[in-house]
Amino acid sequence: MAIESVVLCSKKPPWQSTSLRLNKGQAYSLFADGVIRWSQRHPHLFGGPAFHLWARVSPGGRAMNLCSNSSETFVADVPGELELGIYMGVWENEFGDLKTSDDLYKSLVGVINTTVVIYRGGALEALEKISTDNTTPTVIAGEVARLRSPTHPPSGWHYLHEIGYSDIYREEATATGVMIHAKADDAQGILRHPVDFPVTRTTALQWQWKVDEHPSRDPENHAISHDYISLAAEFDNGHDLTWIWSSCLTPGSFFNCPIRGWHDREAHYVIRSQQDRLGRWYSENRNIYDDALEAMGSSPTKITAIWLIVLSTFHHRSAYASFTKIKLVNDEAELAVA
């Protein structure tokens, strides 16, 4: 077992060498703490390791992030050198090349302290050997628990790589079908389910959902308060439209995403808000052609994926929601998604 400490400065975009070599298939863990602050004017805007800390094996390895603010274990997908990075913006691809400008790093303040543990054998076996009594550090005990009971995304869904992987969604089989629950405590995650469905004048997206706790009390159309819950359609032109359950915006209103890097890609359409009761199921039937034309100025020709979106990292609050009976329909076909 090899152990190395690395301090990542927030202003260095985005990757830093560790000089640690890994073989393909070799397991390693990251134990981390620290805070990166995004703005001096808005002290509530900050993120910890689960938001900012990413790792990759170079050259050629996929970039991966922590799902918690304390630890995560990975397996090297290629042989090479382990690199650690501070994420800020949007990735261009799954290998950790930045799509957005390095200028986003200039206003950041803070560091992420990371301890890298590289194993000769299995990670769980090694950590269990040092976590056999009450003196075991909480962070190690937590990682042992995660390795013993890993969380997997619902069947047919995967996390959108641009904002990272998470463990906030779980699947439940019920007598009436599959239900997907989201529980995000100061966390975020976009689930993506690929589809191939045409957009015609009669194409509709139908689903049922329930919000038990909303992550925001402020308008979601500002970059400093963009915590929300939504379901979205991804289109073949690279854009997406999300139907959001807002905390206070007026149903029927719409806006481009206020986050830099997403503004020209994503539009939000408010369909539920503060007058709708938490803890109650609602059924939706949205005409995609009409909503896209209204919110985005034109209608695409094809839907390539359905997304589930839950964010609670701006206010650091909790978001609890459930989704079921998601399907696409038109005059000629019907496609069940979940």
Side-chain angles (χ1 to χ4, degrees), residues 62-304:
R62 297 175 73 248
M64 303 292 292
N65 66 287
L66 278 70
C67 292
S68 79
N69 274 319
S70 57
S71 63
E72 191 74 31
T73 297
F74 306 98
V75 175
D77 54 345
V78 296
E81 181 184 355
L82 176 64
E83 295 181 338
L84 301 180
I86 295 293
Y87 166 79
M88 191 65 184
V90 178
W91 296 129
E92 175 71 33
N93 51 44
E94 64 181 356
F95 303 106
D97 297 319
L98 267 181
K99 181 178 182 179
T100 44
S101 171
D102 289 357
D103 290 344
L104 293 175
Y105 288 78
K106 293 180 180 178
S107 61
L108 301 182
V109 176
V111 298
I112 297 293
N113 302 298
T114 308
T115 299
V116 183
V117 181
I118 300 176
Y119 307 100
R120 294 186 177 89
L124 178 57
E125 294 80 1
L127 291 176
E128 283 180 329
K129 289 181 179 178
I130 57 175
S131 60
T132 56
D133 56 46
N134 294 331
T135 63
T136 302
T138 301
V139 66
I140 294 179
E143 187 58 22
V144 168
R146 277 185 286 274
L147 289 171
R148 286 174 176 167
S149 302
T151 301
H152 303 289
S155 177
W157 299 80
H158 64 268
Y159 283 95
L160 191 70
H161 188 267
E162 285 95 321
I163 71 165
Y165 304 91
S166 187
D167 57 3
I168 67 173
Y169 295 96
R170 64 179 179 88
E171 184 178 36
E172 179 189 3
T174 71
T176 58
V178 174
M179 192 178 298
I180 297 175
H181 302 287
K183 181 179 180 181
D185 298 314
D186 190 11
Q188 63 180 17
I190 297 180
L191 273 188
R192 181 182 186 272
H193 192 298
V195 300
D196 186 348
F197 201 85
V199 177
T200 68
R201 290 184 180 272
T202 63
T203 299
L205 178 58
Q206 301 175 353
W207 74 96
Q208 294 179 10
W209 59 344
K210 173 172 67 84
V211 171
D212 294 303
E213 186 168 349
H214 198 284
S216 178
R217 297 190 181 101
D218 302 315
E220 297 86 358
N221 55 356
H222 299 291
I224 63 172
S225 55
H226 195 53
D227 285 327
Y228 67 100
I229 297 168
S230 79
L231 190 144
E234 171 194 296
F235 304 119
D236 57 346
N237 59 8
H239 296 269
D240 67 271
L241 175 62
T242 88
W243 292 269
I244 83 168
W245 188 312
S246 172
S247 64
C248 58
L249 295 175
T250 303
S253 62
F254 50 86
F255 56 95
N256 283 359
C257 182
I259 303 301
R260 193 187 308 185
W262 287 85
H263 181 270
D264 297 328
R265 171 181 178 178
E266 185 172 72
H268 300 280
Y269 199 116
V270 180
I271 61 172
R272 297 283 170 192
S273 193
Q274 59 188 341
Q275 75 277 0
D276 296 302
R277 288 175 52 191
L278 298 180
R280 175 180 173 181
W281 283 98
Y282 289 90
S283 297
E284 312 294 357
N285 183 15
R286 304 302 306 185
N287 184 293
I288 293 179
Y289 184 95
D290 292 344
D291 284 353
L293 185 62
E294 184 179 12
M296 307 173 78
S298 63
S299 288
T301 59
K302 184 183 292 186
I303 304 160
T304 54

